[in-house]
Amino acid sequence: MSCEAKEDVMSLRSSSGRATVTHAVVVIFLEFFAWGLLTTPMLTVLHETFPQHTFLMNGLVHGVKGFLSFLSAPLIGALSDIWGRKSFLLMTVFFTCAPIPFMRISPWWYFAMISISGIFAVTFSVIFAYVADITEEHERSTAYGLVSATFAASLVTSPAIGAYLSAQYGDSLVVLVATVIAVADIAFVFFVVPESLPDKMRLTSWGFPISWEQADPFATLFLGVLMRTIGNKNTVLLGLGFQLFQLAWYGFGSEPCNIMMMMMMMKMMRKM
Protein backbone atom coordinates (compact mmCIF):
# COMPACT_ATOMS: atom_id res chain seq x y z
CA MET A 1 0.00 0.00 0.00
CA SER A 2 1.35 3.39 -0.93
CA CYS A 3 2.00 6.15 1.59
CA GLU A 4 -0.88 8.20 0.16
CA ALA A 5 -3.29 5.27 0.53
CA LYS A 6 -2.18 4.73 4.14
CA GLU A 7 -2.78 8.39 4.89
CA ASP A 8 -6.28 8.16 3.39
CA VAL A 9 -7.10 5.14 5.56
CA MET A 10 -5.80 6.86 8.70
CA SER A 11 -7.80 9.98 7.84
CA LEU A 12 -10.96 7.90 7.38
CA ARG A 13 -10.48 6.15 10.72
CA SER A 14 -9.87 9.47 12.45
CA SER A 15 -13.00 11.08 11.01
CA SER A 16 -15.17 8.07 11.91
CA GLY A 17 -14.15 8.43 15.57
CA ARG A 18 -14.58 12.19 15.72
CA ALA A 19 -17.32 13.63 17.92
CA THR A 20 -20.13 15.25 15.93
CA VAL A 21 -23.43 16.98 16.59
CA THR A 22 -25.14 13.88 15.17
CA HIS A 23 -24.00 11.92 18.22
CA ALA A 24 -25.67 14.44 20.51
CA VAL A 25 -28.85 14.46 18.41
CA VAL A 26 -29.20 10.66 18.49
CA VAL A 27 -28.69 10.52 22.26
CA ILE A 28 -31.34 13.17 22.92
CA PHE A 29 -33.83 11.69 20.46
CA LEU A 30 -33.66 8.15 21.86
CA GLU A 31 -33.83 9.28 25.49
CA PHE A 32 -36.89 11.49 25.17
CA PHE A 33 -38.59 9.26 22.60
CA ALA A 34 -38.49 6.46 25.16
CA TRP A 35 -40.02 8.70 27.82
CA GLY A 36 -42.60 10.12 25.42
CA LEU A 37 -43.91 6.62 24.70
CA LEU A 38 -44.84 6.32 28.37
CA THR A 39 -47.13 9.37 28.49
CA THR A 40 -50.41 7.40 28.41
CA PRO A 41 -49.24 4.44 30.54
CA MET A 42 -47.84 6.84 33.13
CA LEU A 43 -51.21 8.58 33.51
CA THR A 44 -52.86 5.19 33.98
CA VAL A 45 -50.33 4.09 36.60
CA LEU A 46 -50.63 7.42 38.38
CA HIS A 47 -54.39 7.08 38.61
CA GLU A 48 -54.18 3.46 39.78
CA THR A 49 -51.50 4.22 42.40
CA PHE A 50 -52.89 7.53 43.66
CA PRO A 51 -56.60 7.49 42.73
CA GLN A 52 -57.49 10.38 45.03
CA HIS A 53 -54.47 12.59 44.35
CA THR A 54 -53.37 11.74 40.81
CA PHE A 55 -52.25 15.13 39.58
CA LEU A 56 -51.03 16.26 42.99
CA MET A 57 -48.63 13.31 43.19
CA ASN A 58 -47.59 13.83 39.59
CA GLY A 59 -46.67 17.39 40.44
CA LEU A 60 -44.79 16.36 43.58
CA VAL A 61 -42.80 13.63 41.83
CA HIS A 62 -41.72 15.82 38.95
CA GLY A 63 -41.29 18.81 41.23
CA VAL A 64 -38.77 16.93 43.39
CA LYS A 65 -37.00 15.65 40.27
CA GLY A 66 -36.83 19.12 38.76
CA PHE A 67 -35.53 20.69 41.96
CA LEU A 68 -32.78 18.07 42.33
CA SER A 69 -31.83 18.50 38.67
CA PHE A 70 -31.66 22.25 39.15
CA LEU A 71 -29.24 21.81 42.05
CA SER A 72 -27.03 19.16 40.44
CA ALA A 73 -26.81 20.33 36.81
CA PRO A 74 -24.08 22.97 37.33
CA LEU A 75 -21.96 20.56 39.40
CA ILE A 76 -22.20 17.78 36.83
CA GLY A 77 -21.38 20.25 34.08
CA ALA A 78 -18.34 21.48 36.01
CA LEU A 79 -17.13 17.94 36.67
CA SER A 80 -17.50 17.05 33.00
CA ASP A 81 -15.22 19.99 32.18
CA ILE A 82 -12.49 18.15 34.08
CA TRP A 83 -13.09 14.44 33.54
CA GLY A 84 -14.66 14.47 30.10
CA ARG A 85 -18.16 14.42 28.67
CA LYS A 86 -18.67 10.77 27.73
CA SER A 87 -18.60 9.30 31.24
CA PHE A 88 -21.07 11.89 32.53
CA LEU A 89 -23.22 11.53 29.43
CA LEU A 90 -23.39 7.79 30.09
CA MET A 91 -24.27 8.41 33.72
CA THR A 92 -27.01 10.96 33.02
CA VAL A 93 -28.64 8.85 30.29
CA PHE A 94 -28.53 5.75 32.50
CA PHE A 95 -30.12 7.42 35.52
CA THR A 96 -32.71 9.21 33.37
CA CYS A 97 -33.84 5.93 31.80
CA ALA A 98 -33.38 3.66 34.84
CA PRO A 99 -36.95 4.15 36.21
CA ILE A 100 -38.64 3.06 32.95
CA PRO A 101 -38.88 -0.74 33.50
CA PHE A 102 -40.05 -0.22 37.08
CA MET A 103 -43.36 1.12 35.78
CA ARG A 104 -44.51 -2.51 35.45
CA ILE A 105 -42.36 -3.99 38.22
CA SER A 106 -43.37 -1.69 41.06
CA PRO A 107 -45.19 1.65 40.63
CA TRP A 108 -43.99 2.87 44.03
CA TRP A 109 -40.36 2.18 43.13
CA TYR A 110 -40.99 3.75 39.73
CA PHE A 111 -42.13 7.08 41.14
CA ALA A 112 -39.48 7.03 43.86
CA MET A 113 -36.73 6.44 41.28
CA ILE A 114 -38.05 9.23 39.05
CA SER A 115 -37.78 11.64 41.97
CA ILE A 116 -34.30 10.54 43.03
CA SER A 117 -33.03 10.30 39.45
CA GLY A 118 -33.24 14.08 39.24
CA ILE A 119 -29.82 14.24 40.86
CA PHE A 120 -28.24 12.75 37.74
CA ALA A 121 -30.95 13.13 35.08
CA VAL A 122 -29.45 16.26 33.53
CA THR A 123 -28.51 15.01 30.08
CA PHE A 124 -29.08 18.40 28.47
CA SER A 125 -26.35 20.02 30.57
CA VAL A 126 -23.76 17.54 29.31
CA ILE A 127 -25.13 17.50 25.75
CA PHE A 128 -24.85 21.27 25.39
CA ALA A 129 -21.29 21.12 26.74
CA TYR A 130 -20.60 18.28 24.27
CA VAL A 131 -21.86 20.40 21.39
CA ALA A 132 -19.84 23.41 22.56
CA ASP A 133 -16.67 21.28 22.49
CA ILE A 134 -17.04 20.33 18.84
CA THR A 135 -18.46 23.46 17.23
CA GLU A 136 -17.11 26.87 16.41
CA GLU A 137 -18.76 29.88 18.01
CA HIS A 138 -20.45 30.99 14.78
CA GLU A 139 -22.13 27.59 14.27
CA ARG A 140 -22.99 26.86 17.89
CA SER A 141 -26.45 28.46 17.84
CA THR A 142 -27.46 26.31 14.88
CA ALA A 143 -26.19 23.19 16.63
CA TYR A 144 -28.07 24.04 19.82
CA GLY A 145 -31.20 24.66 17.76
CA LEU A 146 -30.85 21.26 16.11
CA VAL A 147 -30.56 19.52 19.47
CA SER A 148 -33.56 21.41 20.84
CA ALA A 149 -35.60 20.68 17.70
CA THR A 150 -34.75 16.99 18.02
CA PHE A 151 -35.93 17.03 21.62
CA ALA A 152 -39.21 18.64 20.56
CA ALA A 153 -39.67 16.23 17.65
CA SER A 154 -39.20 13.20 19.88
CA LEU A 155 -41.82 14.43 22.36
CA VAL A 156 -44.25 15.40 19.61
CA THR A 157 -44.22 12.00 17.89
CA SER A 158 -43.72 9.49 20.70
CA PRO A 159 -46.81 10.11 22.90
CA ALA A 160 -49.16 9.39 19.98
CA ILE A 161 -47.24 6.24 19.10
CA GLY A 162 -47.27 5.16 22.74
CA ALA A 163 -51.01 5.80 23.04
CA TYR A 164 -51.69 3.73 19.90
CA LEU A 165 -49.54 0.82 21.08
CA SER A 166 -51.16 0.99 24.51
CA ALA A 167 -54.66 0.89 23.03
CA GLN A 168 -53.84 -1.97 20.67
CA TYR A 169 -51.49 -4.14 22.71
CA GLY A 170 -51.53 -2.90 26.29
CA ASP A 171 -49.24 -0.85 28.51
CA SER A 172 -46.79 -3.70 29.10
CA LEU A 173 -45.70 -3.65 25.47
CA VAL A 174 -45.21 0.12 25.57
CA VAL A 175 -43.00 -0.17 28.66
CA LEU A 176 -41.03 -2.97 26.97
CA VAL A 177 -40.48 -0.91 23.81
CA ALA A 178 -39.45 2.14 25.86
CA THR A 179 -37.04 -0.01 27.88
CA VAL A 180 -35.45 -1.43 24.71
CA ILE A 181 -35.01 2.07 23.29
CA ALA A 182 -33.49 3.27 26.57
CA VAL A 183 -31.02 0.35 26.59
CA ALA A 184 -30.17 1.12 22.96
CA ASP A 185 -29.45 4.73 23.94
CA ILE A 186 -27.15 3.66 26.76
CA ALA A 187 -25.37 1.22 24.44
CA PHE A 188 -25.03 3.94 21.81
CA VAL A 189 -23.32 6.25 24.29
CA PHE A 190 -21.04 3.48 25.58
CA PHE A 191 -19.98 1.97 22.27
CA VAL A 192 -20.41 4.70 19.65
CA VAL A 193 -20.25 8.19 21.15
CA PRO A 194 -16.64 9.45 21.25
CA GLU A 195 -15.21 11.81 23.83
CA SER A 196 -15.56 15.44 22.78
CA LEU A 197 -13.24 17.11 25.26
CA PRO A 198 -9.59 17.03 24.13
CA ASP A 199 -7.16 15.18 26.40
CA LYS A 200 -5.11 18.31 26.94
CA MET A 201 -8.15 20.07 28.41
CA ARG A 202 -8.92 17.27 30.88
CA LEU A 203 -7.27 16.73 34.22
CA THR A 204 -5.68 13.32 34.84
CA SER A 205 -5.85 13.67 38.61
CA TRP A 206 -9.09 13.33 40.61
CA GLY A 207 -7.91 15.87 43.13
CA PHE A 208 -8.76 18.96 41.13
CA PRO A 209 -10.85 21.34 43.25
CA ILE A 210 -14.25 22.51 42.03
CA SER A 211 -15.08 26.09 42.95
CA TRP A 212 -18.51 26.97 44.32
CA GLU A 213 -18.98 29.44 41.46
CA GLN A 214 -18.83 26.55 38.98
CA ALA A 215 -21.34 24.43 40.90
CA ASP A 216 -23.68 27.24 42.00
CA PRO A 217 -27.13 26.46 40.52
CA PHE A 218 -28.23 30.07 41.01
CA ALA A 219 -25.49 31.41 38.73
CA THR A 220 -26.95 29.91 35.58
CA LEU A 221 -26.75 31.78 32.31
CA PHE A 222 -30.49 32.36 31.78
CA LEU A 223 -31.11 33.68 35.28
CA GLY A 224 -28.00 35.82 35.02
CA VAL A 225 -29.24 37.42 31.81
CA LEU A 226 -32.69 38.01 33.29
CA MET A 227 -31.34 39.56 36.47
CA ARG A 228 -29.02 41.85 34.56
CA THR A 229 -31.81 42.84 32.17
CA ILE A 230 -34.85 43.33 34.37
CA GLY A 231 -33.38 43.18 37.88
CA ASN A 232 -33.58 40.65 40.72
CA LYS A 233 -37.02 41.65 41.96
CA ASN A 234 -38.63 41.55 38.52
CA THR A 235 -37.01 38.18 37.81
CA VAL A 236 -38.63 36.75 40.95
CA LEU A 237 -41.96 38.29 39.97
CA LEU A 238 -41.67 36.82 36.49
CA GLY A 239 -41.06 33.34 37.91
CA LEU A 240 -44.00 33.68 40.28
CA GLY A 241 -46.15 34.89 37.40
CA PHE A 242 -45.38 31.79 35.34
CA GLN A 243 -46.12 29.59 38.35
CA LEU A 244 -49.42 31.40 38.91
CA PHE A 245 -50.33 30.83 35.27
CA GLN A 246 -49.51 27.14 35.55
CA LEU A 247 -51.58 26.67 38.71
CA ALA A 248 -54.50 28.61 37.24
CA TRP A 249 -54.36 26.45 34.13
CA TYR A 250 -54.72 23.31 36.25
CA GLY A 251 -57.65 24.95 37.97
CA PHE A 252 -59.70 25.00 34.75
CA GLY A 253 -60.05 21.22 34.78
CA SER A 254 -60.97 18.63 37.37
CA GLU A 255 -59.32 15.27 37.94
CA PRO A 256 -62.41 13.18 37.04
CA CYS A 257 -62.83 15.11 33.78
CA ASN A 258 -59.20 14.66 32.83
CA ILE A 259 -59.29 10.94 33.58
CA MET A 260 -62.55 10.59 31.65
CA MET A 261 -61.08 12.35 28.63
CA MET A 262 -58.05 10.07 28.74
CA MET A 263 -60.25 6.94 28.86
CA MET A 264 -62.38 8.22 25.98
CA MET A 265 -59.27 8.77 23.88
CA MET A 266 -58.05 5.24 24.62
CA LYS A 267 -61.42 3.78 23.62
CA MET A 268 -61.35 5.73 20.37
CA MET A 269 -57.86 4.39 19.66
CA ARG A 270 -59.10 0.82 20.16
CA LYS A 271 -61.85 1.32 17.57
CA MET A 272 -59.45 2.58 14.93
Side-chain angles (χ1 to χ4, degrees):
M1 184 182 292
S2 65
C3 293
E4 293 181 357
K6 289 181 179 180
E7 290 178 359
D8 291 340
V9 172
M10 293 300 294
S11 177
L12 178 61
R13 289 178 179 174
S14 177
S15 63
S16 64
R18 187 174 63 247
T20 66
V21 177
T22 302
H23 291 106
V25 166
V26 172
V27 171
I28 286 295
F29 181 83
L30 291 177
E31 178 180 306
F32 289 98
F33 189 86
W35 272 108
L37 289 173
L38 299 177
T39 302
T40 298
M42 184 168 65
L43 289 174
T44 303
V45 173
L46 266 171
H47 183 59
E48 292 174 351
T49 308
F50 311 106
Q52 302 300 322
H53 306 286
T54 302
F55 291 99
L56 173 62
M57 293 306 300
N58 183 50
L60 288 176
V61 167
H62 289 283
V64 171
K65 177 183 178 181
F67 181 70
L68 292 177
S69 296
F70 169 74
L71 294 178
S72 64
L75 177 60
I76 290 179
L79 291 175
S80 72
D81 289 341
I82 300 171
W83 298 320
R85 313 296 185 198
K86 180 171 181 175
S87 57
F88 284 92
L89 191 59
L90 183 63
M91 179 181 68
T92 56
V93 171
F94 174 80
F95 279 100
T96 300
C97 297
I100 291 177
F102 284 88
M103 177 178 284
R104 303 308 298 172
I105 298 173
S106 171
W108 284 96
W109 272 105
Y110 168 71
F111 291 117
M113 289 187 67
I114 287 180
S115 300
I116 299 173
S117 70
I119 300 175
F120 301 103
V122 288
T123 307
F124 260 109
S125 296
V126 185
I127 280 291
F128 281 142
Y130 189 94
V131 171
D133 293 339
I134 59 179
T135 55
E136 300 294 336
E137 187 174 353
H138 68 275
E139 58 187 5
R140 199 161 294 157
S141 297
T142 301
Y144 286 157
L146 181 60
V147 172
S148 300
T150 301
F151 160 73
S154 65
L155 289 185
V156 165
T157 56
S158 54
I161 296 173
Y164 175 79
L165 292 176
S166 177
Q168 294 294 322
Y169 306 104
D171 290 347
S172 296
L173 178 66
V174 180
V175 175
L176 176 61
V177 172
T179 301
V180 170
I181 294 175
V183 172
D185 196 15
I186 295 171
F188 179 78
V189 175
F190 187 81
F191 292 107
V192 180
V193 174
E195 177 58 56
S196 65
L197 196 64
D199 291 337
K200 62 181 180 181
M201 296 183 64
R202 283 183 281 161
L203 196 71
T204 56
S205 171
W206 286 78
F208 188 82
I210 299 294
S211 66
W212 170 246
E213 287 75 13
Q214 290 176 288
D216 184 4
F218 298 97
T220 57
L221 176 61
F222 180 67
L223 286 178
V225 171
L226 276 179
M227 288 187 289
R228 287 195 299 270
T229 305
I230 63 177
N232 295 348
K233 180 178 179 180
N234 290 331
T235 300
V236 173
L237 291 174
L238 181 65
L240 291 175
F242 275 109
Q243 183 181 19
L244 179 63
F245 175 78
Q246 179 187 6
L247 295 174
W249 183 264
Y250 276 113
F252 283 109
S254 62
E255 181 177 318
C257 290
N258 290 328
I259 297 298
M260 186 180 299
M261 287 294 294
M262 182 189 71
M263 295 302 179
M264 289 176 61
M265 291 179 64
M266 292 180 66
K267 289 181 180 179
M268 291 176 63
M269 293 294 292
R270 290 192 179 98
K271 294 179 181 179
M272 292 178 62

